Amino acid sequence: AKGMGKGGWQRYQSDLAHAMVQRLEMRTQLTEAIEDEQFILQFQPIVEIAEQRVTGVEALVRWQHPTRGLLGPFHFVEAAEENGAIVGIGNWVMREALRQLAEWKAADPGTSLRYISVNVSPRQFRAADFVEQVHTALEQAGARPDWLLLEITESLVLKDAEKVIQDLRALRAMGVRIAIDDFGTGYSSLSYLRQMPVDVLKLDKSFIDDILTSRQQHALVDAIVTLAGNLDLTVVAEGIEEAGQRTALKTMGCHYGQGYHFAKPVWPAEIPALTGSAEPA
Ligand code: C2E
Ligand code: CA
Ligand code: CA
Ligand code: CA
């Protein structure tokens, strides 16, 4: 690269080699990490915009790596998807998230928390026993199916549509709700989604970022919110960072939001302070 001296080039090469070794190491470590219980969850509130009330939380996985410290999903989810470890990790996340929600509800029967949102990777969803995994996780936690919102990606619904749709139907028949995560970043359209068995659209942060500065972007989000409402889909706006964005979304009739403006992802012990009681205990 430009301006890179001989020493720079060598350093670049050894950095590359180092990164490759780390990736290889990570693949074996990922599998062991499940047995060693090295994964841990943070939770980010999902807020009813008008009332500023926390009605749900999204479970976000982190890896307590033996030597590298606390790693966010950016560092390992892709590798885990590639080597299949994501199936075990994801099913652990679902069980642990439901267990945690049951614990919060038991500690405060009047909590405003109604559900937990869990990310499901395409590989995890496509596993032959996924519907059964969900069933078992609910049963083990003593959780009602409507406590669970599964976040899937647009690409999942577009590929192998038939088997996926069958499983989505089975899950919804159980009473589990389905969300399309990062909506707008893929290729699906609202008219296509209309035929899909889904309940919630999570509108990607990239749409929210410019609603205060771009009239076009504002109009686009406004149109999506209106159309989604007409299609009986619930919209969750992701990545709300400013009060102004919250106000604009509220005016558009968007009912739910998530983002640093309300709360960053936090450890389980911090959740009860963020969730009010729905009714006096
Ligand atoms: P995601 O599902 O879109 O989750 C939201 C991500 O955006 C989280 O990052 C969250 O910390 C971040 N975020 C939330 N609000 C804001 C905001 O206002 N501003 C900004 N800049 N960021 C915000 P995180 O925890 O690093 O997760 C990244 C991605 O990793 C997630 O994106 C999801 O795709 C994936 N992921 C997390 N947990 C799991 C899991 O258990 N299974 C699978 N398969 N994927 C997971
Ligand atoms: Ca998500
Ligand atoms: Ca998302
Ligand atoms: Ca995202």
Side-chain angles (χ1 to χ4, degrees), residues 58 119 151 181-182 202 204 238:
E58 179 174 0
N119 293 285
E151 299 193 3
D181 202 0
D182 304 332
K202 296 196 75 176
D204 192 67
E238 294 190 302

Side-chain angles (χ1 to χ4, degrees), residues 14 18 22 31 34 80 86 123 128 137 141 150-151 173 222 240 270:
S14 77
H18 183 67
Q22 261 191 355
T31 314
I34 303 175
I86 195 69
R123 192 147 171 180
L150 295 176
E151 299 193 3
D222 199 1
I240 301 177
E270 299 168 77

Side-chain angles (χ1 to χ4, degrees), residues 108-124:
D108 177 9
T111 180
S112 61
L113 264 189
R114 294 202 297 255
Y115 67 93
I116 194 134
S117 211
V118 171
N119 293 285
V120 179
S121 91
R123 192 147 171 180
Q124 182 190 356

